[in-house]
């Protein structure tokens, strides 16, 4: 599949995205947690360029192959902390909103709130939203894996 359009960066959009990412990365969340969140949402949405870039970025932050290969099965593995599990559960619930999925239940929210303060939760939620945003753009324009941004 070929990408549908060549990207022409709009300076206002680029600036806005940079501000959003700054808010995410100054929220006090471990960068590896943010990488796991990004990777899991991108897996759910089938966004190959974001999965590719997410794995590359996670490796740069020191993530292990073992954990990267098991993000998709995080519930069945011993490789993730309780905080990481709470962030991954929140990611899945916030991402899987189609077809009557229950969304973020009180149980999922409470588990995340037990590990992250309000500023951190805001950063995680914004990271989930931004990932879903770019996943949908990439799927729409048929962006291909192999790029890192």
């Amino acid at each position: 599949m070929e990408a549908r359009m060549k990207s022409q960066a709009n300076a206002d959009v680029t600036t806005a995205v940079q501000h959003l990412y700054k808010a995410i990365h100054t929220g006090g969340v471990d960068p590896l947690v943010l990488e796991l969140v990004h990777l899991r949402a991108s897996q759910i949405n089938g966004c190959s360029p974001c999965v590719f870039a997410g794995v590359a970025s996670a490796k740069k932050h020191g993530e292990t192959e073992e954990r990267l290969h098991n993000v998709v099965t995080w519930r069945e593995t011993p490789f993730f902390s309780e905080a990481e599990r709470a962030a991954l559960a929140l990611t899945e619930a916030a991402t899987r909103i189609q077809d009557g999925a229950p969304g973020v239940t009180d149980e999922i929210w409470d588990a995340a709130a037990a590990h992250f303060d309000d500023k951190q939760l805001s950063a995680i939620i914004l990271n989930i939203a931004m990932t879903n945003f770019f996943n949908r753009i990439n799927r729409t324009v048929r962006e291909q894996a192999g790029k890192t941004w």
Side-chain angles (χ1 to χ4, degrees), residues 10-88:
N10 175 315
D12 292 336
V13 172
T14 301
T15 298
V17 168
Q18 288 170 341
H19 285 293
L20 290 169
Y21 277 117
K22 181 178 179 185
I24 291 168
H25 292 288
T26 60
V29 180
D30 180 340
L32 286 178
V33 170
L34 294 174
E35 297 292 351
L36 295 174
V37 163
H38 172 79
L39 180 57
R40 186 65 192 118
S42 297
Q43 289 171 334
I44 291 166
N45 291 323
C47 182
S48 66
C50 286
V51 169
F52 181 90
V55 167
S57 182
K59 285 180 179 180
K60 287 180 184 175
H61 281 94
E63 190 55 85
T64 66
E65 292 283 338
E66 182 177 59
R67 284 169 38 103
L68 287 171
H69 287 292
N70 285 283
V71 170
V72 73
T73 58
W74 64 269
R75 285 183 178 86
E76 291 81 33
T77 65
F79 306 127
F80 303 97
S81 71
E82 289 304 312
E84 290 166 335
R85 291 175 185 283
L88 289 166

